């Protein structure tokens, strides 16, 4: 009598390749060869009876059947992983790969101070950081947790505060203000050069938000420079190329040193700061609990 086929054979290779968009990257994540990933996927395709990937020389993409399978399999795989980790959580030492998606602004504020301490304290925890400002589906992308500004966290997630609230700021270099003057009202921005931010996913350009007499207003300032990276936004402002709209916690050192100056302060709104967020089921993972506890300890002065 022949042995029944394992229904889950090839699924780890399929999920890793679908998430990474590459057999080579999937192989690195799984610790096997690209050929092993390719063979596992081919065997799964043979069982399913239809191609799951469109292969090119540079990248692999999902077919319609592959996308449908991934949409259903990824959440199920995440649930299975969480169940296994929860089963071994009691008394276990933090270990495994901790995958985090973080915005650019969180790198110096959270990642740089916290990850070094995490690695020293729990050397069995490996870390992968994906830097992207766009909103991310944690389960579909295989992340354990994410960091985002509080107002952008999707409902139903557990959220842990990492920083104090943010006061948004219009900044410029002293040289720019000496040459062009200081705007006194949000409407004065029409006479200035603005460095504008384009959202990576939607492609829209951010409208600068203000408050006057308790009412919200927004301005779409003119400007010859557009960027989707917040670090470059600050760098160009520091170089005197125009005004920029940023979170105050990202430019505290520059403001204290006087290399950047804040303008239009009476009109600037405050929003929640940075939070670590994750699904309810994920919080039992020792590796994530270790990161949460250490982050709270290391970042406490910033709350």
């Amino acid at each position: 009598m022949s042995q029944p086929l394992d229904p889950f054979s090839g699924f780890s290779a399929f999920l890793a390749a679908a998430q990474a968009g590459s057999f080579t990257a999937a192989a690195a994540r799984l610790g096997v060869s690209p050929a092993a990933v390719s063979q596992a996927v081919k065997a799964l395709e043979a069982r399913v009876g239809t191609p799951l990937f469109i292969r090119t020389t540079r990248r692999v993409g999902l077919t319609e059947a592959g996308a449908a399978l991934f949409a259903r399999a990824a959440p199920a795989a995440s649930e299975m992983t969480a169940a296994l980790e929860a089963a071994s959580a009691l008394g276990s030492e933090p270990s495994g790969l901790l995958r985090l998606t973080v915005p650019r602004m969180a790198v110096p504020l959270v990642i740089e101070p916290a990850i070094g301490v995490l690695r020293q304290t729990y050397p069995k925890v490996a870390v992968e950081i994906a830097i992207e400002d766009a909103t991310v589906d944690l389960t579909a992308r295989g992340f354990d947790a994410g960091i985002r500004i509080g107002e952008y966290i999707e409902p139903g997630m557990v959220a842990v505060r990492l920083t104090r609230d943010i006061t948004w700021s219009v900044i410029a270099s002293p040289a720019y203000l000496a040459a062009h003057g200081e705007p006194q009202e949000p409407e004065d921005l029409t006479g200035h050069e603005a460095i504008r931010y384009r959202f990576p996913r939607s492609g829209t350009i951010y409208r600068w938000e203000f408050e006057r007499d308790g009412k919200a207003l927004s301005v779409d300032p003119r400007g010859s420079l557009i960027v989707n990276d917040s670090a470059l936004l600050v760098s160009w402002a520091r170089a005197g190329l125009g005004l920029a709209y940023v979170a105050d916690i990202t430019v505290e050192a520059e403001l204290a040193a006087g290399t950047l100056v804040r303008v239009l302060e009476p009109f600037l709104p405050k929003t929640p700061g940075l939070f670590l967020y994750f699904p309810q089921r994920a919080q039992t993972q020792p590796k994530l609990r270790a990161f949460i506890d250490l982050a709270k300890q290391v970042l406490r002065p910033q709350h």
Side-chain angles (χ1 to χ4, degrees):
M1 182 181 296
S2 62
Q3 289 286 93
L5 291 174
D6 178 2
F8 301 111
S9 177
F11 260 98
S12 59
F14 166 74
L15 290 170
Q19 289 167 351
S22 161
F23 285 172
T24 301
R29 183 177 300 177
L30 296 174
V32 299
S33 68
V37 172
S38 179
Q39 290 170 6
V41 169
K42 286 180 179 177
L44 181 60
E45 289 177 322
R47 285 193 0 245
V48 174
T50 187
L52 300 174
F53 288 99
I54 301 171
R55 297 159 173 83
T56 68
T57 56
R58 292 178 174 269
R59 183 175 177 82
V60 295
L62 290 169
T63 63
E64 183 178 358
L69 179 60
F70 181 71
R72 297 190 65 177
S78 179
E79 288 283 357
M80 290 175 62
T81 300
L84 290 171
E85 290 178 339
S88 62
L90 291 177
S92 64
E93 181 181 1
S95 62
L97 177 62
L98 178 66
R99 300 189 70 236
L100 302 175
T101 167
V102 308
R104 174 71 62 182
M105 66 184 293
V107 173
L109 295 172
V110 177
I111 298 304
E112 289 178 351
I115 295 303
V117 178
L118 178 72
R119 289 286 297 140
Q120 290 175 359
T121 309
Y122 300 105
K124 291 185 178 180
V125 177
V127 180
E128 179 180 347
I129 304 295
I131 302 172
E132 48 196 330
D133 290 333
T135 303
V136 169
D137 185 326
L138 297 182
T139 299
R141 295 279 300 280
F143 289 108
D144 296 293
I147 296 175
R148 291 293 185 273
I149 295 173
E151 63 182 313
Y152 297 122
I153 295 175
E154 59 186 284
M157 292 284 175
V158 178
V160 178
R161 177 181 286 276
L162 296 175
T163 72
R164 63 172 175 80
D165 286 346
I166 291 169
T167 298
W168 292 95
S169 302
V170 177
I171 56 166
S173 70
Y176 174 88
L177 295 177
H180 302 278
E182 180 178 329
Q184 302 299 314
E185 302 276 342
E187 290 81 4
D188 294 343
L189 291 171
T190 57
H192 283 268
E193 180 74 12
I195 306 167
R196 302 152 79 199
Y197 179 84
R198 187 185 297 278
F199 288 105
R201 178 157 297 176
S202 67
T204 59
I205 294 178
Y206 180 68
R207 293 178 63 90
W208 294 10
E209 299 176 65
F210 300 95
E211 292 180 354
R212 178 189 283 134
D213 301 326
K215 296 181 180 180
L217 69 145
S218 64
V219 175
D220 187 13
R222 68 176 182 85
S224 303
L225 295 174
I226 301 172
V227 67
N228 66 355
D229 181 85
S230 56
L232 186 55
L233 192 78
V234 173
S235 177
W236 282 347
R238 194 166 50 239
L241 301 182
L243 298 164
Y245 189 98
V246 301
D248 65 336
I249 59 176
T250 65
V251 290
E252 286 180 323
E254 288 89 344
L255 292 173
T259 55
L260 287 173
V261 178
R262 187 160 32 196
V263 299
L264 297 174
E265 291 189 63
F267 306 98
L268 292 164
K270 179 178 287 189
T271 60
L274 290 173
F275 287 76
L276 180 76
Y277 71 100
F278 45 87
Q280 180 80 30
R281 62 180 181 274
Q283 62 185 330
T284 58
Q285 299 179 69
K287 61 185 178 182
L288 183 55
R289 290 303 321 170
F291 177 74
I292 293 170
D293 293 341
L294 281 176
K296 285 181 176 180
Q297 179 181 344
V298 172
L299 303 175
R300 185 175 295 125
Q302 301 182 33
H303 284 197

